[in-house]
C-alpha cells in the first residue's frame, strides 16, 4: 500500500513537471512571436494568403468603436473560463471591406446579423461601405436569427436578406431616454447650481430639474425626426420592395410581434431559411459546396492593407482621432495634454502634407477644448490643409475643435452644433446637515471661494455668470472666424442647440456630407497630392499591449475576455454619474448626453 502511495505521488510530480516544461515551451514560443510583431516595421503588412472564390463575412455583433483600443483583463472572466472578445474598430472594418472589394479572390459578402452596439452614424458608415463594395458587382447576402433595427439598417444594403423561420424583426423607431436626478439629490441633501449660456444648452438639466425643458424636447423632436427620415429613406433605397414610409409602418404596427411569414409577405426579407442552410446558399453564390467555402473577416483582410500604417511615407495624410469626452489628465477620451503634443508634432513633420481630424466627441472641458483648438491653429499656420471628418458626435467642445477647419465633412447622421457653455457646481450643505456635520471655515477672504459645503452666494453667481459669458463669447468668435460668419449670425444659431448633419449643412456649420475616405481624398487634393501617390497614417499610433498580441496569435484558450456592456441598475448609474461629476472640471462645453438608439 505504501509502495503504491509513493508511486502515485511520484507520478503526480512527474506529470506536474512535464506540464510545467510544456507550458514554458509554449510560453517561450508565444513571447518570441509577440516580440517579432512588436519589432516589426510600421509599414509592414501580414500578407495573409486568401483562397480563390472566398467570401467576406461581416459579423454584426458586439460594440463598434472608432479605432482600436488596447484591451484589459477581466479577471472574473478568467474564473469562468470565458473566451476572447474585443470591440470592432470601425476604421479596420471599413478598410477590410475596401480590401475585399478590390480582391480578385473575394467573390461575395455574407452579413451575419448579431445586434451591433453602435450609434446611427457609425452604422451608416458600415452601410455605405457595403454599398461601395457592391459597386464591384459582387453579391451581398445577409442572415439573421432575429434582427434589431441596427441590424436591419445595415443589412438593408444586401442583395438578399434571409430570416430564420422562427425569427423576428424589431423596428420601433429612434429615440433616447434621459434620467433626471433632482429628487434623488434633494433627498440626500445635494444641490446643483447651474450657470450657463444657451437656451437649448440642456446637458445639466438632469441635475437641476425633474423633467426635460420645452426647448430641449423641441430640439430632440426635430433631431430624431430628421435622423429617422434619413434612415427610412436609406432602407427604402436598399430594399426596393419597401416604400419610404415602411419603417414608420413597421414601427407603428408592432412588426416585432408579427410572424416571419407576415414579414416575408410584406417584403422586409427575401427568404425564410435556417442558419444551417446558409453555407450552401453562399456556396452556390461562389461556385462551391457549402462545406468548402472559405470565409475571411474584415480584420484579417485589413492586415493585408497598408492603409493607416504608412508612417514612413514622404507624402502622407495624417488621420488624427479625437474620440470621447474632452478632459485633462485622463486615460480615456480626449486628453488635451496627450493630443496637443501629437498635433504639434504633426505640424512640424515635413512629411505630413495634410491633417484630417476625425472627431467623435460630445465635448467636455472648456480649457481642454481651447488647448486643442490653439494647437490646431498652430498646425494651420504651417500652411498645411486641415480637414475635419465628423463621426457620431462633434458637438459643443467637439465643434470648438472642428470649426476652424478648411473643410468639414459630416456623416448624414452626425450630431453637431451645441455651441454653448455651462458651469455646474455641487453643494453638499444639506447633506452635511443631515449627517450631523457642521462645517466651520476660517479664511483671509471670507466668501471669496466656492466651497462644497456651502451654496454659492449671489455675488459668486454673478462672477461665475460673467466668466461663462466670456467663455461663450470666445466660442462664438472662434466659430465666426472659422466658418466666416458674422458673430450675430453665429449667436442666432448657437444657444447650445444640437443639429443633425443636414441642418448643419444648411446653416453652414459643416461643408459637405461625406465619409472619412471623402475627407482624406479632399485633404490630399488640397495638398496637391495625386491619387495613389500618398500614404495615410493613423494617429495616435495604436500600440497593442501584450494581451492584444496574444489574441492576435490566436491563443483563444487563454480565456481573456473584455467585459461586455451590461444593463445598469440604478445604483451603478448613480455611482457612475457621481464619479463623472467629481471628475469633470466645473466649466464645460458639452452637449446633452444622448444615448441614441433604435428603440
Amino acid at each position: 500500500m505504501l509502495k503504491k502511495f509513493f508511486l502515485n505521488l511520484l507520478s503526480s510530480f512527474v506529470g506536474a513537471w512535464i506540464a510545467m516544461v510544456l507550458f514554458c515551451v509554449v510560453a517561450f514560443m508565444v513571447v518570441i512571436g509577440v516580440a517579432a510583431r512588436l519589432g516589426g516595421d510600421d509599414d509592414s503588412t501580414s500578407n495573409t494568403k486568401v483562397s480563390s472564390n472566398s467570401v467576406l463575412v461581416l459579423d454584426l455583433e458586439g460594440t463598434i468603436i472608432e479605432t482600436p483600443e488596447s484591451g484589459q483583463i477581466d479577471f472574473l472572466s478568467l474564473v469562468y473560463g470565458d473566451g476572447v472578445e474585443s470591440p470592432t474598430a470601425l476604421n479596420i472594418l471599413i478598410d477590410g471591406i475596401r480590401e475585399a472589394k478590390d480582391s480578385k479572390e473575394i467573390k461575395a459578402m455574407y452579413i451575419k446579423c448579431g445586434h451591433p452596439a453602435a450609434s446611427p452614424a457609425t452604422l451608416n458608415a458600415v452601410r455605405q461601405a457595403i454599398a461601395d463594395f457592391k459597386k464591384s458587382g459582387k453579391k451581398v447576402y445577409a442572415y439573421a436569427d432575429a434582427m434589431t433595427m441596427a441590424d436591419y439598417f445595415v443589412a438593408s444594403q444586401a442583395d438578399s436578406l434571409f430570416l430564420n423561420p422562427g425569427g423576428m424583426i424589431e423596428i420601433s423607431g429612434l429615440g433616447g431616454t434621459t434620467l433626471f436626478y433632482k429628487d434623488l439629490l434633494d433627498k440626500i441633501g445635494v444641490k446643483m447650481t447651474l450657470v450657463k449660456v444657451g437656451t437649448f444648452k440642456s446637458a445639466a438639466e438632469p441635475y437641476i430639474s425633474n423633467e426635460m425643458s420645452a426647448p430641449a424636447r423641441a430640439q430632440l423632436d426635430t433631431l430624431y425626426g430628421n435622423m429617422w427620415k434619413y434612415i427610412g429613406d436609406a432602407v427604402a433605397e436598399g430594399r426596393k420592395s419597401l416604400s419610404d414610409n415602411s419603417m414608420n409602418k413597421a414601427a407603428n404596427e408592432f412588426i416585432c410581434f408579427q410572424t416571419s411569414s407576415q414579414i416575408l409577405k410584406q417584403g422586409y426579407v427575401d427568404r425564410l431559411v435556417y442558419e444551417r442552410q446558409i453555407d450552401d446558399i453562399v456556396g452556390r453564390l461562389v461556385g462551391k459546396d457549402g462545406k468548402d467555402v472559405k470565409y475571411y473577416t474584415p480584420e484579417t483582410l485589413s492586415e493585408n492593407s497598408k492603409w493607416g500604417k504608412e508612417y514612413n511615407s514622404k507624402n502622407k495624410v495624417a488621420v488624427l482621432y479625437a474620440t470621447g469626452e474632452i478632459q485633462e489628465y485622463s486615460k480615456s477620451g480626449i486628453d488635451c495634454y496627450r493630443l496637443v503634443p501629437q498635433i504639434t508634432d504633426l505640424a512640424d513633420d515635413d512629411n505630413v502634407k495634410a491633417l484630417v481630424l476625425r472627431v467623435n466627441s460630445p465635448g467636455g472641458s472648456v480649457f481642454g477644448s481651447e488647448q486643442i483648438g490653439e494647437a490646431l491653429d498652430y498646425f494651420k499656420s504651417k500652411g498645411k490643409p486641415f480637414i475635419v471628418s465628423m463621426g457620431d458626435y462633434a458637438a459643443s467642445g467637439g465643434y470648438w475643435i472642428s470649426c476652424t477647419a478648411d473643410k468639414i465633412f459630416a456623416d448624414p447622421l452626425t450630431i453637431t452644433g451645441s455651441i454653448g457653455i455651462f458651469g455646474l457646481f455641487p453643494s453638499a450643505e444639506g447633506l452635511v446637515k443631515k449627517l450631523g456635520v457642521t462645517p466651520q471655515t476660517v479664511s483671509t477672504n471670507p466668501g471669496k471661494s466656492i466651497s462644497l459645503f456651502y451654496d454659492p452666494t449671489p455675488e459668486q453667481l454673478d462672477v461665475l455668470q460673467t466668466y461663462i459669458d466670456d467663455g461663450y463669447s470666445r466660442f462664438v468668435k472662434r466659430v465666426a472666424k472659422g466658418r466666416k460668419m458674422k458673430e450675430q449670425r453665429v449667436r442666432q444659431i448657437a444657444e447650445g442647440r444640437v443639429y443633425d448633419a443636414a441642418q448643419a449643412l444648411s446653416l453652414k456649420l459643416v461643408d459637405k456630407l461625406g465619409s472619412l475616405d471623402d475627407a482624406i481624398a479632399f485633404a490630399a487634393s488640397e495638398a496637391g497630392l495625386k491619387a495613389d501617390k500618398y500614404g495615410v497614417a493613423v494617429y495616435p499610433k495604436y500600440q497593442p499591449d501584450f494581451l492584444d498580441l496574444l489574441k492576435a496569435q490566436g491563443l483563444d484558450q487563454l480565456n481573456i475576455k473584455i467585459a461586455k456592456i451590461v444593463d445598469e441598475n440604478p445604483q451603478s448609474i448613480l455611482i457612475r454619474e457621481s464619479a463623472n461629476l467629481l471628475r469633470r472640471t466645473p466649466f464645460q462645453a458639452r452637449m446633452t448626453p444622448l444615448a441614441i438608439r433604435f428603440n
Side-chain angles (χ1 to χ4, degrees):
M1 179 69 71
L2 189 60
K3 180 180 178 181
K4 185 175 181 181
F5 168 77
F6 280 114
L7 285 174
N8 288 336
L9 183 62
L10 181 61
S11 64
S12 297
F13 278 126
V14 171
W17 182 81
I18 292 173
M20 186 178 297
V21 170
L22 289 175
F23 174 81
C24 291
V25 170
V26 172
F28 177 76
M29 294 175 66
V30 168
V31 170
I32 292 297
V34 169
R37 295 193 62 160
L38 282 171
D41 190 280
D42 280 336
D43 291 349
S44 64
T45 56
S46 69
N47 294 319
T48 300
K49 183 172 177 57
V50 180
S51 302
S52 59
N53 296 323
S54 296
V55 176
L56 172 69
V57 58
L58 179 58
D59 194 344
L60 296 178
E61 183 177 15
T63 304
I64 303 176
I65 59 177
E66 276 283 348
T67 192
E69 297 176 355
S70 293
Q72 297 179 353
I73 296 179
D74 179 356
F75 290 100
L76 186 61
S77 298
L78 294 176
V79 175
Y80 289 106
D82 292 332
V84 176
E85 185 175 337
S86 299
T88 300
L90 178 64
N91 60 352
I92 290 180
L93 191 153
I94 300 295
D95 186 39
I97 294 175
R98 188 190 302 115
E99 279 290 301
K101 173 191 174 184
D102 297 333
S103 171
K104 295 179 180 179
E105 285 73 30
I106 299 294
K107 301 297 183 182
M109 179 192 299
Y110 167 48
I111 303 172
K112 185 177 181 181
C113 299
H115 319 325
S119 295
T122 291
L123 296 170
N124 192 46
V126 179
R127 187 189 68 85
Q128 291 178 330
I130 296 169
D132 183 63
F133 175 89
K134 290 172 63 177
K135 292 178 182 177
S136 64
K138 301 173 183 179
K139 293 291 185 181
V140 178
Y141 283 3
Y143 169 83
D145 286 330
M147 199 175 301
T148 64
M149 185 62 224
D151 288 307
Y152 197 78
F153 181 42
V154 175
S156 63
Q157 277 295 326
D159 296 289
S160 293
L161 217 169
F162 304 95
L163 180 66
N164 191 297
M168 60 180 287
I169 295 178
E170 182 183 358
I171 296 174
S172 52
L174 185 70
T177 300
T178 303
L179 300 180
F180 288 77
Y181 307 103
K182 184 178 183 300
D183 278 353
L184 173 62
L185 295 173
D186 288 345
K187 288 178 181 179
I188 64 175
V190 174
K191 179 182 178 181
M192 305 300 294
T193 300
L194 172 67
V195 288
K196 70 169 185 174
V197 179
T199 304
F200 296 90
K201 198 67 179 176
S202 55
E205 282 187 356
Y207 307 105
I208 63 168
S209 176
N210 288 322
E211 61 183 16
M212 196 177 291
S213 67
R217 184 173 292 277
Q219 71 172 339
L220 291 182
D221 280 340
T222 301
L223 181 72
Y224 291 155
N226 291 347
M227 293 174 70
W228 183 238
K229 184 180 186 307
Y230 175 88
I231 290 165
D233 292 345
V235 170
E237 179 188 0
R239 298 288 305 166
K240 304 301 183 186
S241 58
L242 300 179
S243 67
D244 293 345
N245 196 45
S246 291
M247 291 298 97
N248 276 329
K249 180 175 180 291
N252 293 335
E253 295 181 359
F254 292 100
I255 192 173
C256 57
F257 296 113
Q258 295 182 16
T259 66
S260 58
S261 297
Q262 290 174 304
I263 293 169
L264 174 64
K265 186 176 180 180
Q266 294 176 74
Y268 289 95
V269 298
D270 298 296
R271 281 181 63 186
L272 302 179
V273 301
Y274 291 99
E275 186 174 11
R276 63 176 176 77
Q277 299 173 269
I278 287 295
D279 282 344
D280 289 333
I281 292 172
V282 173
R284 287 194 291 272
L285 190 61
V286 297
K288 285 188 173 184
D289 290 336
K291 64 180 183 300
D292 297 326
V293 176
K294 296 289 186 182
Y295 293 99
Y296 293 89
T297 66
E299 290 83 357
T300 299
L301 295 180
S302 178
E303 291 178 356
N304 288 347
S305 168
K306 285 190 174 182
W307 186 94
K309 310 164 192 170
E310 298 177 86
Y311 299 103
N312 295 330
S313 173
K314 299 289 186 183
N315 295 304
K316 62 185 174 186
V317 175
V319 178
L320 178 61
Y321 278 81
T323 61
E325 191 170 323
I326 299 172
Q327 304 172 60
E328 299 108 47
Y329 300 112
S330 174
K331 292 182 179 179
S332 63
I334 304 169
D335 182 350
C336 64
Y337 289 111
R338 284 189 286 117
L339 193 63
V340 165
Q342 184 80 81
I343 295 169
T344 56
D345 286 346
L346 294 175
D348 295 335
D349 186 344
D350 292 336
N351 293 333
V352 173
K353 306 303 182 183
L355 171 65
V356 175
L357 184 69
R358 174 66 172 183
V359 180
N360 194 340
S361 172
S365 164
V366 173
F367 176 82
S369 301
E370 283 192 299
Q371 306 315 301
I372 296 168
E374 191 280 330
L376 291 168
D377 292 344
Y378 174 73
F379 183 93
K380 287 188 68 176
S381 73
K382 297 292 186 176
K384 303 177 184 181
F386 163 43
I387 313 300
V388 161
S389 169
M390 293 179 170
D392 298 317
Y393 309 97
S396 207
Y399 193 75
W400 187 310
I401 66 177
S402 302
C403 64
T404 59
D406 300 312
K407 191 78 71 175
I408 298 177
F409 289 76
D411 184 275
L413 292 175
T414 291
I415 297 173
T416 188
S418 193
I419 301 168
I421 293 177
F422 69 90
L424 192 63
F425 303 89
S427 165
E429 183 174 343
L431 175 60
V432 295
K433 287 181 179 179
K434 288 177 182 287
L435 296 175
V437 177
T438 304
Q440 295 288 292
T441 302
V442 177
S443 172
T444 58
N445 304 89
K448 300 306 178 183
S449 63
I450 296 175
S451 170
L452 179 65
F453 300 113
Y454 304 102
D455 294 344
T457 66
E459 181 185 8
Q460 289 172 336
L461 289 176
D462 287 342
V463 173
L464 291 173
Q465 188 65 59
T466 300
Y467 185 84
I468 292 293
D469 290 342
D470 178 69
Y472 182 65
S473 179
R474 296 198 308 274
F475 198 167
V476 168
K477 289 180 184 294
R478 183 170 182 81
V479 173
K481 180 181 178 182
R483 304 309 298 158
K484 296 179 175 58
M485 293 183 187
K486 293 183 178 179
E487 286 187 34
Q488 182 181 2
R489 174 56 179 160
V490 175
R491 290 181 182 273
Q492 289 174 347
I493 62 177
E495 290 289 328
R497 181 159 189 166
V498 295
Y499 299 99
D500 64 87
Q503 287 178 300
L505 180 64
S506 67
L507 296 172
K508 298 183 180 179
L509 292 175
V510 305
D511 298 298
K512 296 196 73 173
L513 301 183
S515 66
L516 174 60
D517 284 346
D518 294 329
I520 292 171
F522 181 84
S525 175
E526 288 295 287
L529 303 176
K530 295 182 180 180
D532 301 325
K533 298 297 182 181
Y534 63 90
V536 176
V538 168
Y539 299 89
K541 288 184 182 180
Y542 171 55
Q543 298 293 344
D545 61 17
F546 190 75
L547 294 175
D548 296 319
L549 293 173
L550 288 179
K551 286 185 284 185
Q553 295 284 57
L555 300 177
D556 292 353
Q557 68 272 23
L558 292 177
N559 293 327
I560 299 165
K561 181 182 179 181
I562 296 176
K564 287 184 178 181
I565 295 176
V566 298
D567 292 335
E568 296 179 285
N569 56 46
Q571 290 86 354
S572 65
I573 293 173
L574 178 60
I575 292 170
R576 183 196 66 204
E577 291 298 328
S578 299
N580 285 341
L581 280 174
L582 294 172
R583 173 172 51 81
R584 291 179 181 132
T585 56
F587 301 102
Q588 295 277 307
R590 184 168 52 86
M591 66 172 283
T592 304
L594 296 179
I596 297 181
R597 57 176 60 88
F598 297 107
N599 291 337

